[in-house]
Amino acid sequence: MTTSVLVAGATGDLGARIVRELLLLDTRVRVLTRPGSDRAAEQFGGEDRVDVVTAAYDDRPALVAALADVEVVVSAVSGTRSVIVDAQRALLAAAVEAGVQRFVPSDYAADYRRVTPGTNRNFEIRREFAAEVDAASIRATSVLNGAFADMLTGQAPLVLFDRRRVLYWSSADQVLDFTTKDDVAWVTAHVALDPDAPRVVEVAGDRVTSRELASTMSQLTGTPFRLQWAGTTGALSAAARIGRRVANNEDATFPAWQGMQYFVSMFSGEAELRQVRNDRYGPHEWTSVRDVLAAHVGAD
């Protein structure tokens, strides 16, 4: 049984949730933090089953020492290429050198493997790092979960609450995969403790269309929410390319044009999950999109 898991990115939103789920499974957790940061100590200092270790990603000996006797590395780091590729590459190499048995990369996304090159930057850098993981002498498991359902409450402008509209591109009947961060953390913790986990674990807390979202919002609010066609995915992809060129903010994690690229990947169907196995780790009460929206609008 897995007894020692190191979590990178543990002070982030998703990483902290993963640590919490691992602790609920009676696992000892090691949290990796950068030199000079007190955040991890402040966040986890009161938990006797959490050890905080310090190492910079460009300090190979310190990383290897931090990974000593660790069985599984779970990465929940967030950022652009300097983090998803460069920092994780250093973490992966140190894990191999330290004899770590398994590695969970920071994917937590839709199925980036089939997305057309050039249409989604964040998916491309994940695909780039996945190739390095596959070439390394370590077992790895990626968690693919679609989009975070939590983002439907405002971060992802799909449901326009004030205008009582639900957007769609190309087809209002394209299936969209959503999973809450809590549910992603739950399955990631189980993946970390599963020595037989496959290369990819796909889960979807809910699978809905824009048409169904409009119907759900109408029911929850008692006010009609209408569908609004926003164009084709091809036109949106072109707009994202222009926005990317004009904005000149390549290092931004979630610029507006990246959000456009996510919608292109989702509404084109390329990023749709094809092998969802929600039952892999037994019964679980998955949070539905309706639950998320109901909580947001204060509906029963």
Side-chain angles (χ1 to χ4, degrees):
M1 179 178 177
T2 300
T3 57
S4 179
V5 179
L6 179 139
V7 179
T11 58
D13 189 7
L14 179 61
R17 297 171 197 246
I18 293 172
V19 171
R20 179 194 65 201
E21 293 295 334
L22 285 168
L23 293 176
L24 289 174
L25 294 173
D26 200 29
T27 304
R28 188 159 197 90
V29 180
R30 196 174 298 182
V31 168
L32 178 65
T33 188
R34 297 172 184 266
S37 174
D38 297 326
R39 188 174 175 185
E42 294 171 355
Q43 194 165 337
F44 303 109
E47 176 54 62
D48 60 7
R49 285 183 293 126
V50 174
D51 300 313
V52 177
V53 293
T54 301
Y57 286 96
D58 59 358
D59 187 343
R60 177 72 165 268
L63 270 181
V64 173
L67 292 166
D69 301 319
V70 166
E71 295 174 73
V72 182
V73 168
V74 174
S75 176
V77 296
S78 177
T80 54
R81 194 179 192 282
S82 63
V83 176
I84 299 302
V85 177
D86 298 340
Q88 284 198 117
R89 178 189 290 135
L91 184 62
L92 176 66
V96 171
E97 184 174 336
V100 175
Q101 299 170 22
R102 296 191 294 120
F103 190 95
V104 180
S106 185
D107 284 341
Y108 317 114
D111 193 350
Y112 58 79
R113 298 169 297 177
R114 295 183 297 106
V115 171
T116 300
T119 60
N120 191 311
R121 177 203 61 180
N122 283 4
F123 284 175
E124 288 181 7
I125 59 178
R126 278 166 172 75
R127 186 158 50 200
E128 180 182 351
F129 183 65
E132 299 205 19
V133 171
D134 290 337
S137 56
I138 192 170
R139 291 192 60 187
T141 300
S142 291
V143 176
L144 300 183
N145 51 262
F148 289 129
D150 318 64
M151 299 180 71
L152 283 171
T153 59
Q155 288 177 284
L158 185 61
V159 179
L160 307 182
F161 297 94
D162 293 340
R163 295 174 56 188
R164 296 189 295 278
R165 295 287 188 274
V166 174
L167 300 179
Y168 73 94
W169 286 264
S170 291
S171 173
D173 298 307
Q174 171 60 49
V175 174
L176 311 172
D177 301 301
F178 291 101
T179 312
T180 63
K181 293 176 184 178
D182 281 341
D183 285 340
V184 173
W186 179 86
V187 74
T188 301
H190 281 78
V191 164
L193 302 186
D194 178 9
D196 298 318
R199 178 62 183 86
V200 174
V201 170
E202 296 183 19
V203 295
D206 207 351
R207 314 187 79 182
V208 299
T209 65
S210 283
R211 191 180 306 281
E212 291 167 339
L213 283 173
S215 175
T216 295
M217 286 303 302
S218 298
Q219 294 168 16
L220 290 175
T221 64
T223 304
F225 269 65
R226 304 188 185 282
L227 288 167
Q228 181 171 323
W229 183 69
T232 65
T233 54
L236 183 61
S237 184
R241 288 196 299 272
I242 295 171
R244 183 178 188 177
R245 188 162 54 247
V246 171
N248 192 29
N249 56 351
E250 195 66 26
D251 291 334
T253 305
F254 294 111
W257 55 263
Q258 177 65 81
M260 295 179 190
Q261 290 185 335
Y262 275 121
F263 281 142
V264 170
S265 299
M266 294 172 68
F267 279 92
S268 68
E270 289 187 337
E272 183 180 342
L273 300 176
R274 308 285 178 172
Q275 297 181 347
V276 172
R277 278 285 311 278
N278 283 357
D279 61 346
R280 180 175 179 85
Y281 297 110
H284 178 67
E285 189 173 342
W286 299 90
T287 306
S288 70
V289 164
R290 183 186 181 92
D291 293 336
V292 172
L293 294 174
H296 181 67
V297 301
D300 294 327

